[in-house]
Amino acid sequence: MSDRQVHIEEPGPSEYRSPLVQHEMKRAGVWIAMGIAVALVVLLAQPIMLIMGALVLTTMMDGGTRLLGRVLPIARGWRLAIVLIAALAFLIYTFYLTGSSLAAQAQAMRAIIETQVTRIGGWMHQMGISTSPEDFKSLASQAMSSLGRVTAAVGTAVGAITGGVMMLVLAIFIAVEPKLYERGVAWMLPMDRRAHFYRIADRMGWTLRRLMFGRLIGMAVEGVGTWLLLWAGGVPMAGLLGILTGLFAFLPNIGSIISGVLIVLVGFSAGVNVGLYAFGVYMVVQIIDGYLIVPMVAKRATDLAPALVLAAQILFGALFGIMGLFLADPIVAMIKVYLEERSKTLEADRADAAMLQAAS
C-alpha cells in the first residue's frame, strides 16, 4: 500500500466547507465584531451620549404628556405642546425675575468659596497637615480634567449650546410620535424577536418615566426646601443655593455631596451658628428626599443599589465626561431592565423545553 493511500487528508484553512473552519471563523467574527463595537463606542462617544440624553428628555416629555392626558382628553400633539410651553414659560419666568440677582450672588459665592478653601488650607497647615490651598485647586482641576474626552469636545459654550439644542430637537421629534420610531427599530429585527423587543421597550419606558418623575420631584423638594429653610435661617445666597441644590439633585450621591459642601462653606462664612444651621438644613432635606421621595417614587421602579449607581457614575464620568455623569443612572436602569427581561425569557424557554421533554 502506498503512502498516498495510507495518509488521510485533512481540510486546510481554505476549505470553507469544513465544519471546524466554519466554527473557528464564527468565533473570530464575534471577537472582531466586539473589537469594532468598542472602537465605535470610543470614537462616537459624543453623539451616543447626545442620543441617550435625547431619549431621557423624550421620556420626561412623554411622562408629562401622559400625565396631562388623564385630565385633558385632547390629541397627543396638543398635550405635548402644552408641556413644552409650560416648561419654557417657567424657565423664562424664573430667570427673568432672578437673573440679575443670581448673577451677582454667583460672583459673591465664588469669592466666598475661595476664601473658605484658603481658611481650610491654613487650618490644616496649623494642624501639621502639609496641604495648601493650591493643592485643593490642583486636585479640583485634575478631577475636572479626568472627566473624559467628551468634556473637551463639548466643553466650549458653543459646543454645549449646540449639543443642548440638538438633544432638545431630537427629543421633541421622538416625543411627537414615539411608536413610529419604536416600530422602525423593530422592523430591523427578525419577526420572532419583535414581540420580545416591544415588551422590553415598554418596560424601559415605564421605568424611565418613573425614574425621571421621582428625580424631578426630588429636585423640586430639595431646591425649594433648601431655599426656604436657608432663607428663614438668614443664610446668605439662599436662592442661589436652592437652585444649585435642585439642579445637583439630578445626580444621585455625587450631586448631594457637591451641594452639601457649597451650603456648609457659605453657611460658615456668616458665622459658626449659621454654618451649623446650614448643615442641619442640608441633613434634613437629604433625609426627606432619601427616605421619603426616592423610596416612594423612583426606587420602586428601578431598585438600584446606591453603590451600583455611584460606581456607574464614576465609570461613565471617566469615559464620557459630564454627559456620562448625568446619564449614568438612566443607562444603568435600562441595562437592568434588559437583563431582567432577558432572564425571564430564558426561564420561559427552559420551562417550555422541559414540558415538551416531559410530554415526549
Side-chain angles (χ1 to χ4, degrees), residues 20 63 68 70 78 137 254 276 320 322 342 346:
L20 178 62
L68 192 60
R70 297 182 178 182
W78 290 108
K137 295 179 182 179
I254 294 178
L276 294 175
F320 305 115
I322 297 295
R342 179 64 177 172
L346 292 177

Side-chain angles (χ1 to χ4, degrees), residues 56-139:
V56 172
L57 288 178
T58 301
T59 302
M60 299 169 69
M61 296 176 188
D62 183 58
T65 304
R66 289 169 179 262
L67 187 62
L68 192 60
R70 297 182 178 182
V71 294
L72 286 180
I74 57 178
R76 176 184 173 84
W78 290 108
R79 286 184 277 125
L80 178 61
I82 293 173
V83 171
L84 294 176
I85 293 173
L88 181 62
F90 172 77
L91 293 176
I92 294 176
Y93 178 77
T94 301
F95 286 101
Y96 175 76
L97 291 181
T98 62
S100 59
S101 62
L102 290 180
Q105 289 183 15
Q107 293 293 331
M109 178 180 289
R110 180 178 179 181
I112 289 175
I113 297 301
E114 292 179 354
T115 302
Q116 293 295 84
V117 169
T118 303
R119 288 181 179 177
I120 294 174
W123 176 77
M124 295 181 67
H125 186 71
Q126 292 178 359
M127 296 294 293
I129 302 175
S130 58
T131 303
S132 62
E134 286 74 17
D135 297 330
F136 286 103
K137 295 179 182 179
S138 176
L139 181 63

Side-chain angles (χ1 to χ4, degrees), residues 45-46 48-50 52-53 56 140 143-151 154 167 211-212 215 247-259 304 306-333:
Q46 180 183 353
I48 289 175
M49 288 296 103
L50 291 179
M52 292 301 302
V56 172
M144 292 302 294
S145 63
S146 65
L147 289 178
R149 288 182 292 179
V150 177
T151 306
V154 297
M167 280 196 303
L211 180 65
M212 292 299 104
R215 195 62 50 78
L247 293 176
F248 283 127
F250 192 85
L251 291 173
N253 302 322
I254 294 178
S256 61
I257 295 174
I258 297 174
S259 61
L304 296 176
L308 176 62
V309 175
L310 182 59
Q313 288 175 341
I314 295 173
L315 177 62
F316 282 95
L319 291 176
F320 305 115
I322 297 295
M323 286 293 295
L325 195 64
F326 274 91
L327 298 176
D329 202 21
I331 291 175
V332 171

Side-chain angles (χ1 to χ4, degrees), residues 211-291:
L211 180 65
M212 292 299 104
F213 177 73
R215 195 62 50 78
L216 291 176
I217 295 297
M219 291 171 65
V221 170
E222 290 193 31
V224 176
T226 301
W227 166 52
L228 292 177
L229 292 175
L230 293 180
W231 173 76
V235 179
M237 306 170 193
L240 180 59
L241 288 173
I243 291 177
L244 292 177
T245 301
L247 293 176
F248 283 127
F250 192 85
L251 291 173
N253 302 322
I254 294 178
S256 61
I257 295 174
I258 297 174
S259 61
V261 170
L262 294 178
I263 291 172
V264 171
L265 289 178
V266 174
F268 275 99
S269 68
V272 177
N273 293 332
V274 178
L276 294 175
Y277 175 80
F279 178 75
V281 169
Y282 166 74
M283 294 300 297
V284 169
V285 172
Q286 292 302 319
I287 289 173
I288 293 175
D289 181 65
Y291 289 92

Side-chain angles (χ1 to χ4, degrees), residues 35 50 108 184 200 203 271 292:
L50 291 179
I200 292 179
R203 180 66 181 177
L292 293 179

